Amino acid sequence: MIPHGVSSLDMISILSKVAPSKSRVQFEEIFDKISSQNPGFLRVLSQTNWIPECANRAKEIRGQFEKLIVLGIGGSSLGAKSIVQAFGKEDQVWFFENVDALSLEISLSKIKDLSKVHWAIVSKSGKTLETIAQLHLIDQILKSKKL
């Protein structure tokens, strides 16, 4: 097993315990085809050099801020949202997933001190119009509060 990661053999072993044999064969074929192209989302499973840096940054953020708010739409926030829910941290990490100014303002009004919020803006392409609109709204709100 790869430290802090999952090898393809481990994945196949796990799958063999939970999936019917036909599904395993299909998974192995798909996995082999994808892994032969060496995409980044598979390489990250075996790379661990980024973990200490991320852990240190997370410790810094926890020391300076009380809440994390993620701006992102769909797939840009769905994975993180699932993890937050799995660990029961919904009170510490909020997700803003639409561009409705009123709902953003209502949500933000529930926070006593916006200077204690760390913002994470997520867009896989960097060009997602909804996320850019969210960022613009948040920027206007924070500037109006001189933050």
Side-chain angles (χ1 to χ4, degrees):
M1 180 166 203
I2 299 168
H4 308 289
V6 180
S7 72
S8 57
L9 291 177
D10 290 332
M11 185 64 85
I12 291 167
S13 172
I14 292 166
L15 192 62
S16 70
K17 296 173 186 166
V18 297
S21 62
K22 185 176 179 184
S23 295
R24 275 197 315 276
V25 170
Q26 290 171 334
F27 171 80
E28 290 176 28
E29 289 171 1
I30 292 168
F31 190 88
D32 288 343
K33 184 175 182 179
I34 292 172
S35 61
S36 69
Q37 298 169 7
N38 200 22
F41 71 89
L42 286 179
R43 284 193 311 268
V44 76
L45 295 174
S46 62
Q47 296 173 344
T48 60
N49 56 332
W50 53 270
I51 293 173
E53 186 177 338
C54 287
N56 289 337
R57 181 66 179 131
K59 187 176 179 179
E60 282 177 33
I61 291 169
R62 280 192 306 271
Q64 296 175 355
F65 301 96
E66 295 172 0
K67 187 174 296 299
L68 171 65
I69 295 181
V70 179
L71 303 181
I73 302 293
S76 292
S77 65
L78 189 57
K81 189 174 187 179
S82 298
I83 292 169
V84 167
Q85 290 173 342
F87 284 98
K89 299 293 183 179
E90 296 94 338
D91 59 325
Q92 296 171 4
V93 183
W94 289 6
F95 292 84
F96 291 174
E97 299 178 284
N98 66 58
V99 292
D100 176 41
L102 182 59
S103 67
L104 282 174
E105 288 188 46
I106 290 170
S107 294
L108 291 177
S109 71
K110 298 175 184 176
I111 300 171
K112 294 178 185 171
D113 185 358
L114 287 174
S115 70
K116 294 289 187 179
V117 172
H118 184 76
W119 300 89
I121 295 82
V122 183
S123 169
K124 290 183 275 185
S125 70
K127 300 175 185 176
T128 307
L129 187 57
E130 295 89 349
T131 304
I132 293 169
Q134 286 178 319
L135 181 57
H136 180 70
L137 286 168
I138 296 297
D139 185 54
Q140 288 179 337
I141 292 167
L142 294 176
K143 283 180 178 174
S144 75
K145 298 182 181 296
K146 301 202 184 333
L147 294 173

